Amino acid sequence: MNQTFTQKNTKTILTTTISNSILSAKINHKGAELVSLQNLETKREYIWEGKPEFWGKHSPILFPIVGTLKNNSYEYEGKIFSLNRHGFARDFDFQLIVQETDKVVFSLQYNSDTFCIYPFKFELQLIYTLKKSELIITYKVINKDQKTIPFSIGGHPAFALNDTFERYSLEFESGEKLISYTLEKDLLSNKTKNIELKNNQLPLTYSLFEKDALVFKSLQSKQIKILENNSTILNFKFNDFPHFGIWTKINAPFICLEPWLGYADTTNANGNILDKEGIQLVESNSYKEYNFSIEII
């Protein structure tokens, strides 16, 4: 485990790296964002490098909402609060509270800035653990309040694609019919499109993403493999997450696999956060924990 400082736009960014005999993972303290996952033997990098001409992020945390709210706001106990797309956690510096060779724990506590837009006393922990050829990412939402906290949470890891985009495919655990909900001005409509798999596989083409992300309210599969020229390069496991998104930018050399608890507001949402589709609840003085993992093949 080591820490490094880099200069980016004159601002110092602190990163921490964990490793074992097979993998290394680097995490920015800002947003506790995974920015690198590398096979130490082959030197292959699996996380998108974040070129701003396509998309300047790597693997941001989505909290306390996933996607966009109607009018970028929500109502709670008669008050209106503004909250931007995907929430605020990715924009804050996390505190490193546990550091081991192959494991780190980052923490974000509620503060005066968060309380203005999200009136709850919470702690959000991101836990990164390497086990052999697998990186396990755990989200822990801790309620430090005297009331129930509503939230959504999700991952947004972008995987680097070294070859031509059309040489890749996604292999789903189940041979299911995918039902993707269409986005209208970043909100979920009631329009859907069916996507047929062939031998459990979805060949990647940019035309799939002409209208933004593929959004699934449910999947039978809890594992998705990325295939490069018909050979598996990684297995993505997300057993704790009922909702899922797949996304890229047109002509960009990456693919995002996004495990979610919750999703964007629907076009007919009433704005009350407690009525929001997909919203999660954590009771006072308790916590909820979820994890997904990236297994390098």
Side-chain angles (χ1 to χ4, degrees):
M1 191 281 301
N2 62 71
Q3 294 183 341
T4 60
F5 297 86
T6 58
Q7 292 290 129
K8 188 174 182 180
N9 298 329
T10 71
K11 183 178 180 180
T12 300
I13 296 178
L14 180 61
T15 64
T16 293
T17 300
I18 57 175
S19 62
N20 61 15
S21 61
I22 301 172
L23 299 175
S24 72
K26 181 189 291 186
I27 302 101
N28 274 355
H29 289 219
K30 181 181 179 182
E33 182 181 8
L34 178 69
V35 296
S36 174
L37 180 62
Q38 191 174 93
N39 183 317
L40 293 175
E41 181 179 355
T42 66
K43 305 303 181 185
R44 176 162 186 165
E45 176 60 64
Y46 289 87
I47 299 298
W48 161 243
E49 61 188 302
K51 287 184 176 179
E53 59 263 37
F54 290 113
W55 187 56
K57 298 185 183 299
H58 312 268
S59 181
I61 172 77
L62 315 181
F63 177 87
I65 58 167
V66 171
T68 302
L69 295 174
K70 195 173 183 178
N71 301 318
N72 288 314
S73 65
Y74 67 93
E75 183 265 327
Y76 177 74
E77 292 188 340
K79 296 181 180 179
I80 302 297
F81 298 88
S82 295
L83 197 53
N84 290 331
R85 187 181 193 189
H86 293 326
F88 53 72
R90 57 185 178 170
D91 299 320
F92 280 89
D93 289 330
F94 281 62
Q95 181 183 3
L96 180 60
I97 60 172
V98 174
Q99 45 185 316
E100 301 171 6
T101 302
D102 56 1
K103 177 182 178 180
V104 284
V105 181
F106 290 91
S107 170
L108 175 67
Q109 301 264 5
Y110 73 94
N111 55 56
S112 57
D113 290 331
T114 67
F115 212 73
C116 292
I117 53 178
Y118 185 63
F120 304 100
K121 298 177 182 178
F122 71 90
E123 180 184 357
L124 172 62
Q125 292 184 3
L126 264 67
I127 305 162
Y128 292 91
T129 309
L130 288 171
K131 288 189 177 180
K132 296 184 179 179
S133 59
E134 192 166 13
L135 174 64
I136 301 165
I137 302 168
T138 303
Y139 298 151
K140 188 173 183 179
V141 182
I142 304 168
N143 186 341
K144 295 189 168 184
D145 217 318
Q146 298 302 309
K147 55 190 176 184
T148 299
I149 294 179
F151 71 95
S152 289
I153 195 165
H156 202 310
F159 296 103
L161 305 181
N162 299 338
D163 208 333
T164 306
F165 193 75
E166 287 75 12
R167 292 183 181 270
Y168 292 87
S169 58
L170 303 179
E171 183 176 288
F172 288 71
E173 181 183 26
S174 299
E176 58 191 296
K177 179 181 288 186
L178 304 179
I179 302 174
S180 176
Y181 284 77
T182 302
L183 289 163
E184 293 182 1
K185 297 181 179 179
D186 294 328
L187 303 178
L188 278 194
S189 72
N190 57 8
K191 299 175 184 175
T192 61
K193 66 175 179 179
N194 294 336
I195 301 171
E196 297 285 348
L197 300 179
K198 186 175 181 180
N199 298 322
N200 292 19
Q201 293 185 17
L202 175 64
L204 290 183
T205 64
Y206 288 118
S207 62
L208 284 169
F209 306 97
E210 286 177 340
K211 294 185 178 180
D212 209 331
L214 303 179
V215 177
F216 307 110
K217 289 185 179 181
S218 65
L219 286 177
Q220 295 175 27
S221 299
K222 293 300 179 181
Q223 297 184 35
I224 296 176
K225 295 176 180 178
I226 298 180
L227 276 60
E228 180 181 82
N229 296 312
N230 296 315
S231 296
T232 303
I233 60 171
L234 66 82
N235 188 19
F236 192 79
K237 306 175 185 177
F238 52 98
N239 194 61
D240 292 343
F241 295 83
H243 317 122
F244 206 83
I246 303 174
W247 176 76
T248 191
K249 297 277 281 188
I250 301 302
N251 298 323
F254 67 79
I255 189 70
C256 289
L257 301 181
E258 305 179 38
W260 300 334
L261 283 140
Y263 39 82
D265 265 353
T266 59
T267 52
N268 61 355
N270 67 16
N272 187 320
I273 191 71
L274 297 177
D275 295 336
K276 179 176 169 56
E277 275 194 27
I279 202 69
Q280 308 297 308
L281 301 173
V282 56
E283 300 299 323
S284 176
N285 299 310
S286 64
Y287 68 88
K288 293 207 172 167
E289 193 170 281
Y290 315 93
N291 69 68
F292 64 94
S293 71
I294 304 162
E295 181 185 15
I296 303 305
I297 305 301

